[in-house]
Amino acid sequence: MKDKYYFQCINCGTEYNASEVTYLCPDCETKNKSDQPPVGILKTLYNYEKIRTRYKRNKLFDKLKEKEYCDLLPLRSERSLSWLKVGKTPLYWRNSSDFEILKKNHFSILLKDDSQNPTFSLKDRASDLVSAYGRENGLNTIVTASTGNAGSSLAGLCAAQKQQAIIFVPQAAPKAKLTQICMYGARIIPVDRNYDDAFELSIAATKRFGWYNRNTAYNPFTIEGKKIVAFEIFQQMKQKIPDRIFVPVGDGCIISGIYKGFEDLLKLNLIDQIPNIVAVQSEKSDNLVRNLTQTAFVSKPCSTVADSISVDVPRNYWMTRNYLEKYQGESITVSDKEILAASRELSNNTGIFTEPASAASFAGLLKYAEQNRIAENSLNVVLLTGSGLKDLNSVQNIIKIPGPIKNLDQLEL
Ligand SMILES: [Zn+2]
């Protein structure tokens, strides 16, 4: 393989040169059925040996510290990435005793706050890389199917890069998210019926009009963009890995991105082992973790308060399952009630307001603590993936906004 990177199909293992394929493994793609997670998703691999010998351990770490990840990205130059500040989000180091509910515990909680991205979600990491790749290769019309966050993310990054974003949305997509997409100047194409129909039409449009497609678990570079969050955690912990990372899971793209980031570091001998990663799903949308112990995948219709991780057929199921099995990852489900309580606990005790899908990871940590599964003095990262302002409706039932007063005598103290 003479290119900087190449692809490997996660199902059949076939390797492809970078110029041979763009999206799925051509052999596996034909086997896909709509009620099953897709096969043929590609993993992007690099010449790790060459990178290792080119940089000694410290020099490579310095390079990572400078946020110059270009050796581990499918780009010619990091200057192709957006001028907006994507990633480089804070990792807040807190103690369990900072939280009312965890007062009796003694461990560290490291909050990786990815709501601090330009369009307020971790998805900007994927959009940034796809948009930069498009820029380097003259692909300036980029299309995606989205229920909201990925669409607004691509729209925002394309606005910054002066590219045209086209977003296929299910007809019931929430107005707040559509408004954000429109404000960035992207073209919205509502689709009769649901996300799966929007997904299929976006792929048909790619084939017919030649638009570049950003769909997650279709374009392999979305994983490459999301993996950078693992590099940042590694840097921010001063070349250490945490004991556990709690990750909210819907279709499995973010958790696979984190695994891929740590796997790259492992291949470069920068770490000795992959941290213990916990996949957290909502009880009412558990199609990924429920199927982990089964041979045949069976989807159950879902409806959870955490709409960003509400997924009937997780599109990155196979990659996530492979990673969890290979590195002995863990999984847990949390109820909607636990998600909303965790969201409030987090906001009340930290000033960080995340959307329910994002609070699911903190709910997972709380449940682990309740079950005495977190060791004393351990380091536990909680990945917060999106801002609470994106989904105000879900938390409105757990708060009470008081009525107006006319004078201070009416004020109850
Ligand atoms: Zn294949």
Side-chain angles (χ1 to χ4, degrees):
M1 302 274 173
K2 60 183 186 317
D3 296 315
K4 178 182 177 184
Y5 61 93
Y6 60 99
F7 297 116
Q8 184 178 43
C9 172
I10 58 154
N11 295 96
C12 71
T14 306
E15 292 183 355
Y16 297 96
N17 284 312
S19 56
E20 274 181 292
V21 283
T22 309
Y23 303 112
L24 299 180
C25 165
D27 288 344
C28 291
E29 188 178 9
T30 54
K31 296 176 200 148
N32 283 331
K33 293 181 197 143
S34 62
D35 63 342
Q36 291 292 308
V39 290
I41 291 167
L42 300 174
K43 197 190 262 193
T44 310
L45 297 169
Y46 303 81
N47 189 336
Y48 296 98
E49 212 170 310
K50 198 169 150 195
I51 298 173
R52 245 192 341 245
T53 47
R54 193 142 39 103
Y55 302 104
K56 287 180 188 160
R57 183 177 173 119
N58 286 339
K59 197 169 173 197
L60 180 61
F61 178 66
D62 284 347
K63 202 168 166 63
L64 286 172
K65 200 170 178 183
E66 296 295 314
K67 314 286 193 286
E68 293 169 353
Y69 306 116
C70 204
D71 282 319
L72 295 163
L73 293 179
L75 293 179
R76 289 195 288 276
S77 165
E78 62 268 23
R79 285 190 292 278
S80 306
L81 293 163
S82 171
W83 52 270
L84 285 169
K85 189 173 84 67
V86 178
K88 308 164 188 87
T89 57
L91 182 75
Y92 298 116
W93 204 302
R94 310 303 303 153
N95 292 316
S96 51
S97 55
D98 292 328
F99 296 84
E100 196 58 38
I101 202 169
L102 296 171
K103 267 211 146 74
K104 289 178 185 157
N105 299 83
H106 302 281
F107 54 80
S108 295
I109 301 175
L110 291 77
L111 302 164
K112 180 65 175 164
D113 185 9
D114 250 46
S115 68
Q116 306 270 324
N117 275 300
T119 77
F120 319 111
S121 86
L122 184 145
K123 302 200 173 188
D124 287 346
R125 296 177 182 276
S127 299
D128 192 20
L129 182 60
V130 169
S131 156
Y133 178 86
R135 203 175 136 187
E136 286 192 351
N137 294 280
L139 303 162
N140 287 315
T141 301
I142 310 181
V143 59
T144 196
S146 170
T147 56
N149 281 348
S152 50
S153 169
L154 180 65
L157 269 297
C158 282
Q161 294 269 38
K162 305 242 174 291
Q163 292 168 314
Q164 174 68 51
I166 298 177
I167 320 294
F168 283 80
V169 294
Q171 60 182 1
K175 254 207 169 132
K177 290 178 177 175
L178 299 184
T179 306
Q180 196 185 359
I181 294 172
C182 287
M183 286 304 289
Y184 291 135
R187 180 173 175 190
I188 286 186
I189 305 178
V191 174
D192 192 10
R193 292 191 54 215
N194 60 22
Y195 174 72
D196 291 324
D197 300 289
F199 194 95
E200 291 312 321
L201 272 191
S202 77
I203 289 170
T206 292
K207 288 179 179 158
R208 187 183 297 189
F209 307 120
W211 298 336
Y212 187 41
N213 196 306
R214 179 223 178 272
N215 286 359
T216 44
Y218 184 66
N219 185 323
F221 298 152
T222 55
I223 295 288
E224 292 302 289
K226 289 173 183 179
K227 78 180 181 185
I228 296 173
V229 75
F231 296 167
E232 288 181 12
I233 291 169
F234 172 66
Q235 284 169 7
Q236 287 167 318
M237 294 187 68
K238 301 189 173 25
Q239 287 200 73
K240 282 202 178 88
I241 57 162
D243 295 297
R244 272 206 182 87
I245 306 178
F246 291 86
V247 183
V249 172
D251 59 19
C253 286
I254 290 176
I255 193 168
S256 293
I258 292 179
Y259 266 121
K260 175 60 166 43
F262 282 110
E263 196 175 56
D264 278 359
L265 296 177
L266 189 70
K267 286 179 178 169
L268 292 170
N269 293 342
L270 284 167
I271 57 174
D272 303 323
Q273 65 181 76
I274 300 281
N276 196 358
I277 296 178
V278 186
V280 186
Q281 281 210 298
S282 161
E283 275 173 9
K284 288 185 176 171
S285 173
D286 64 349
N287 283 311
L288 198 145
V289 306
R290 195 189 66 255
N291 279 291
L292 289 174
T293 49
Q294 312 296 321
T295 32
F297 176 90
V298 180
S299 173
K300 254 184 19 193
C302 49
S303 153
T304 164
V305 66
D307 76 66
S308 300
I309 52 168
S310 181
V311 175
D312 287 347
V313 181
R315 290 193 178 263
N316 215 24
Y317 174 77
W318 288 112
M319 192 185 283
T320 306
R321 182 171 171 149
N322 290 351
Y323 272 132
L324 288 167
E325 284 173 358
K326 186 171 179 187
Y327 298 114
Q328 291 89 47
E330 298 171 2
S331 62
I332 191 168
T333 57
V334 287
S335 68
D336 277 7
K337 203 175 157 195
E338 287 166 331
I339 290 172
L340 291 175
S343 179
R344 199 209 302 250
E345 183 72 18
L346 188 67
S347 301
N348 277 202
N349 289 283
T350 65
I352 301 171
F353 178 33
T354 66
E355 66 176 332
S358 184
S361 54
F362 187 57
L365 174 134
L366 293 180
K367 205 161 183 173
Y368 260 61
E370 199 185 304
Q371 296 170 352
N372 293 318
R373 295 169 72 181
I374 302 187
E376 273 208 8
N377 303 318
S378 59
L379 305 173
N380 302 277
V381 171
V382 175
L383 185 66
L384 304 172
T385 50
S387 164
L389 293 175
K390 282 184 169 280
D391 189 6
L392 290 174
N393 286 344
S394 322
V395 288
Q396 239 123 48
N397 291 336
I398 60 161
I399 56 158
K400 192 169 172 241
I401 299 170
I405 58 163
K406 284 201 171 77
N407 57 60
L408 288 181
D409 296 334
Q410 292 176 296
L411 202 60
E412 285 176 31
L413 293 175

